[in-house]
Amino acid sequence: MSAQEASATDLPVKRPREEEDNGAAMETEKSAGAGTFNGGLETKEPACMSTVIPGWFSEMSPMWPGEAHSLKVEKILFQGKSDYQDVIVFQSATYGKVLVLDGVIQLTERDECAYQEMITHLPLCSISNPKKVLVIGGGDGGVLREVARHSSVGQIDICEIDKMVVDVSKQYFPNVAVGYEDPRVNLIIGDGVAFLKNAAEGTYDAVIVDSSDPIGPAKELFEKPFFESVNRALRPGGVVCTQAESLWLHMDIIEDIVSNCREIFKGSVNYAWTSVPTYPSGVIGFMLCSTEGPQVDFKKPVNPIDADESSIKSHGPLRFYNAEIHSAAFCLPSFAKKVIDSKAN
Amino acid sequence: MSAQEASATDLPVKRPREEEDNGAAMETEKSAGAGTFNGGLETKEPACMSTVIPGWFSEMSPMWPGEAHSLKVEKILFQGKSDYQDVIVFQSATYGKVLVLDGVIQLTERDECAYQEMITHLPLCSISNPKKVLVIGGGDGGVLREVARHSSVGQIDICEIDKMVVDVSKQYFPNVAVGYEDPRVNLIIGDGVAFLKNAAEGTYDAVIVDSSDPIGPAKELFEKPFFESVNRALRPGGVVCTQAESLWLHMDIIEDIVSNCREIFKGSVNYAWTSVPTYPSGVIGFMLCSTEGPQVDFKKPVNPIDADESSIKSHGPLRFYNAEIHSAAFCLPSFAKKVIDSKAN
């Protein structure tokens, strides 16, 4: 069941205020006229834009039943349907521009720093001199922006399945998509699972899996064969960081991810988490693992990017990440620690 | 402007499904018949129950404009108007029972452990052998429940302004109000500001201020004269922990609180935060200060309640707090660290 189906079934559908007074509809037609995203354009408002409050976006999903987070919409800037998912960009009243895939908020300008900085620097600051980095997903470019802060890195490959996400980000989120401007970046539009299967063994120092939730196109990125490919593509003592849901909502999924990773990665296996207000339950977790080889202690960062003055000079200061919050991210609430420690050790 | 006024102005008001099929109305009348909460009972649904989705509760406030968190309502269990605020209890679909004051969620059975354990054990585990503890607010009893874990404590005073909160908690949240059953607890129904003004100098080892937001009855609990009373009522080297809003939403309020505290408390002044999914932005902060006297290092707990086996035996295991998460709570994101450090030091 998709998020849209869930909302349509559970709730009476209202027409959004934008549609009524024609503001948003005109804006959408303008985007269509610009010809950039014609392919997937739909004239009908998607259900998730209109179920809860006219003029508000509400995020509802079977992944978090019985609750919804809503943002007031100033203007719908883009809506389209790619080969993989529904894509929406809107200007919110208080969170800046918002990117939504299949009804789920992926980033807002106000809080994206927390997610992008943590998913990138937790792995990259845990090893010395990362050189080759692979990003799976992350089509918005925010992770690239953060990887680019590391001057030791010489090659940044990114494999994103959905070109529409890349194009939309370049058009509406220039401060996020700025990551693509770095000359070290190679963009591959394709399936991350297939890409990793074909990657030469021991290629990467770090793999970052910036995926959406395990319903929809990202499903395979949470399964064992994918982790096996990651393990093979990493050098000995290389690291992976993968988006790993919310401790408050998905301990069952997390338990499975930890078990799978413990089986496959012969180095360290750790879970970290951070605060992202616009993600369900207000937090998001990360699974951090290292391969057999030189030992990695994720809790003690060895590559302090937040103290690298030349990086700060060229890329601006970090908004969220610092060495203290790196270590703190691995401290888990008791209810989660018990379960995760029993699977990770 | 109250939360209710805001919703009534911004949004079309719908009648909740419960009212239409009479289920909740009957339940409310039953409570009235029991005679416990007659005084404030209203037959009209409060605006915050019905503005967004029929059958859902939505939390909207000028304190967090442009966003709303919604919970699906199974049944309204209680609604009343005390001398101070609107009080609602409902059974939610996925967060257990929920207590709402003036339209703002105070606790849900699913995530109350994070708030209650952190606001209590951050201060009490930072000093050795706390003996006399004062709770201001906290009428639901959850902080009392946590204070009672500390066997060194001989006296627990609580000053709550609103008797209806105490009564409602005892009736609907027995696992929270269980705190009142401890024989060390003395309940004073009254104004915390006045109570502290009249408290003998140097009485308490710790004061815990479990307040609602600084609009409404808790306003004065965020102002300088109140902090001066707290400082006077604490022993040398005594500690205070006060609810201190969200880093993501209220850096301006937090900046003022930190400045005020730095002026008044001559010992340590630190800000900590934790994850609570049903609070706005998913986090809540705490201001921790110590008075002139023996030094307190809040970041290094000296009184490890999570390792106290006799306490665990008598009161059950902690669900959220542990010594690691205690220290981690003081690690702040860079955007907040900069502001807070400049005011706290």
Side-chain angles (χ1 to χ4, degrees):
Chain A
M1 187 166 70
S2 77
Q4 280 81 349
E5 283 162 13
S7 354
T9 317
D10 296 340
L11 299 162
V13 177
K14 308 265 165 238
R15 283 153 49 96
R17 191 183 299 152
E18 278 74 0
E19 201 181 39
E20 280 161 24
D21 66 27
N22 256 348
M26 282 176 64
E27 185 63 24
T28 318
E29 278 162 38
K30 213 173 93 197
S31 302
T36 326
F37 310 107
N38 278 354
L41 196 79
E42 292 187 315
T43 48
K44 206 174 124 270
E45 296 288 344
C48 63
M49 288 305 293
S50 49
T51 40
V52 179
I53 323 172
W56 288 59
F57 165 82
S58 285
E59 187 185 63
M60 311 186 87
S61 165
M63 290 275 294
W64 43 92
E67 65 181 309
H69 188 243
S70 305
L71 294 177
K72 193 172 184 185
V73 178
E74 295 279 314
K75 199 177 204 175
I76 300 171
L77 301 173
F78 175 80
Q79 53 178 118
K81 197 176 174 62
S82 74
D83 292 342
Y84 302 96
Q85 50 204 345
D86 290 318
V87 180
I88 294 172
V89 178
F90 67 86
Q91 179 70 48
S92 69
T94 53
Y95 277 79
K97 289 201 280 284
V98 181
L99 173 65
V100 178
L101 300 180
D102 274 351
V104 177
I105 293 173
Q106 302 299 308
L107 67 86
T108 81
E109 288 181 313
R110 181 158 160 196
D111 65 3
E112 54 93 11
C113 61
Y115 178 76
Q116 319 274 21
E117 293 183 13
M118 293 298 274
I119 198 173
T120 306
H121 303 305
L122 286 178
L124 294 191
C125 294
S126 296
I127 53 175
S128 305
N129 288 309
K131 288 186 179 66
K132 289 187 182 183
V133 178
L134 170 63
V135 181
I136 299 289
D140 55 62
V143 171
L144 301 177
R145 179 190 71 198
E146 296 306 317
V147 175
R149 291 181 183 273
H150 291 263
S151 57
S152 66
V153 171
Q155 180 182 333
I156 312 173
D157 295 341
I158 173 166
C159 184
E160 162 64 50
I161 201 164
D162 194 346
K163 186 169 181 297
M164 190 182 280
V165 174
V166 179
D167 292 340
V168 160
S169 186
K170 285 182 177 173
Q171 182 160 359
Y172 296 103
F173 298 91
N175 296 331
V176 179
V178 64
Y180 285 105
E181 290 171 18
D182 194 287
R184 295 167 289 177
V185 171
N186 314 310
L187 170 62
I188 302 109
I189 297 291
D191 175 13
V193 174
F195 181 85
L196 263 164
K197 247 185 221 152
N198 299 321
E201 204 176 319
T203 305
Y204 295 104
D205 298 280
V207 174
I208 297 168
V209 187
D210 175 12
S211 69
S212 47
D213 294 317
I215 46 173
K219 189 172 172 286
E220 285 184 82
L221 304 182
F222 291 81
E223 291 169 358
K224 222 188 275 186
F226 176 72
F227 290 131
E228 277 162 1
S229 302
V230 171
N231 184 56
R232 213 183 46 82
L234 283 170
R235 66 152 168 90
V239 292
V240 58
C241 178
T242 172
Q243 189 270 100
E245 302 299 325
S246 160
L247 289 175
W248 287 105
L249 299 172
H250 303 121
M251 274 308 295
D252 52 336
I253 297 177
I254 293 167
E255 214 177 322
D256 285 348
I257 299 176
V258 176
S259 294
N260 288 343
C261 287
R262 181 67 288 172
E263 252 182 74
I264 290 159
F265 296 99
K266 301 301 179 198
S268 305
V269 171
N270 287 104
Y271 190 88
W273 63 318
T274 198
S275 151
V276 182
T278 55
Y279 286 169
S281 83
V283 301
I284 190 83
F286 307 104
M287 197 70 228
L288 286 129
C289 308
S290 68
T291 59
E292 198 165 9
Q295 221 195 317
V296 176
D297 183 352
F298 285 112
K299 299 175 188 181
K300 292 185 183 146
V302 294
N303 182 20
I305 190 70
D306 55 320
D308 181 337
E309 296 205 359
S310 81
S311 160
I312 292 167
K313 211 172 166 184
S314 55
H315 292 82
L318 289 149
R319 284 177 286 164
F320 193 91
Y321 177 91
N322 54 59
E324 275 184 21
I325 219 161
H326 177 125
S327 299
F330 293 90
C331 300
L332 305 180
S334 305
F335 73 82
K337 192 177 155 65
K338 218 172 104 179
V339 177
I340 290 175
D341 285 357
S342 75
K343 300 279 175 184
N345 297 321
Chain B
M1 186 166 71
S2 77
Q4 281 81 346
E5 282 162 14
S7 356
T9 318
D10 295 340
L11 299 162
V13 177
K14 308 261 163 241
R15 281 154 49 97
R17 191 184 300 153
E18 278 74 3
E19 199 181 41
E20 281 160 22
D21 66 26
N22 254 349
M26 281 174 65
E27 185 62 23
T28 317
E29 277 161 39
K30 212 173 93 194
S31 303
T36 326
F37 310 107
N38 279 352
L41 196 79
E42 291 185 315
T43 48
K44 205 175 124 271
E45 295 289 344
C48 62
M49 288 306 293
S50 47
T51 40
V52 179
I53 324 171
W56 287 59
F57 166 82
S58 285
E59 186 184 64
M60 313 186 85
S61 165
M63 290 275 294
W64 45 91
E67 65 181 308
H69 188 246
S70 306
L71 294 177
K72 192 171 184 185
V73 178
E74 295 279 314
K75 196 178 206 175
I76 300 172
L77 301 174
F78 174 81
Q79 52 176 119
K81 197 176 173 63
S82 74
D83 292 342
Y84 302 97
Q85 53 204 343
D86 291 317
V87 180
I88 295 172
V89 178
F90 68 87
Q91 179 70 47
S92 69
T94 53
Y95 276 80
K97 288 202 280 284
V98 181
L99 173 66
V100 178
L101 299 180
D102 274 352
V104 177
I105 293 173
Q106 301 299 308
L107 67 85
T108 82
E109 289 182 312
R110 180 158 161 197
D111 66 2
E112 55 92 11
C113 62
Y115 178 75
Q116 319 275 21
E117 293 184 13
M118 292 299 273
I119 198 172
T120 304
H121 303 306
L122 286 177
L124 294 191
C125 294
S126 296
I127 53 176
S128 306
N129 288 309
K131 287 187 180 67
K132 289 187 182 183
V133 178
L134 170 63
V135 180
I136 300 289
D140 56 63
V143 171
L144 300 177
R145 179 190 70 199
E146 296 306 318
V147 175
R149 292 181 182 273
H150 292 263
S151 57
S152 66
V153 172
Q155 180 182 333
I156 312 173
D157 295 340
I158 173 165
C159 184
E160 162 64 50
I161 201 164
D162 194 345
K163 185 169 180 296
M164 189 182 279
V165 174
V166 179
D167 292 339
V168 159
S169 187
K170 286 183 178 174
Q171 181 158 2
Y172 296 101
F173 298 91
N175 295 331
V176 179
V178 65
Y180 284 105
E181 290 170 19
D182 194 286
R184 294 166 290 176
V185 170
N186 315 307
L187 169 62
I188 302 107
I189 296 292
D191 175 13
V193 175
F195 181 86
L196 263 163
K197 245 185 221 152
N198 297 323
E201 205 176 319
T203 304
Y204 295 103
D205 298 280
V207 174
I208 297 169
V209 187
D210 175 12
S211 69
S212 47
D213 294 318
I215 47 173
K219 189 171 172 287
E220 284 183 83
L221 304 183
F222 292 81
E223 291 169 358
K224 221 188 277 186
F226 176 72
F227 291 131
E228 277 162 0
S229 301
V230 172
N231 185 56
R232 213 184 48 83
L234 283 169
R235 66 152 168 90
V239 293
V240 58
C241 179
T242 172
Q243 188 270 100
E245 303 298 327
S246 160
L247 290 174
W248 286 105
L249 298 171
H250 303 121
M251 274 307 295
D252 52 335
I253 297 177
I254 294 168
E255 214 177 323
D256 285 350
I257 299 175
V258 176
S259 293
N260 288 342
C261 287
R262 182 66 289 172
E263 251 181 76
I264 289 159
F265 296 99
K266 300 304 179 196
S268 304
V269 171
N270 287 104
Y271 190 88
W273 63 319
T274 198
S275 152
V276 182
T278 55
Y279 286 170
S281 83
V283 302
I284 190 80
F286 307 103
M287 197 70 227
L288 286 129
C289 308
S290 68
T291 60
E292 197 164 10
Q295 222 194 316
V296 176
D297 184 350
F298 284 111
K299 299 175 190 182
K300 293 186 183 144
V302 294
N303 182 21
I305 191 73
D306 55 320
D308 181 337
E309 297 205 359
S310 80
S311 160
I312 293 167
K313 210 170 165 186
S314 53
H315 292 82
L318 289 149
R319 284 176 286 165
F320 192 90
Y321 177 91
N322 54 58
E324 275 184 22
I325 219 162
H326 178 127
S327 300
F330 292 90
C331 300
L332 306 180
S334 304
F335 73 82
K337 191 176 156 66
K338 219 172 104 179
V339 178
I340 290 175
D341 284 358
S342 76
K343 300 281 176 182
N345 298 321

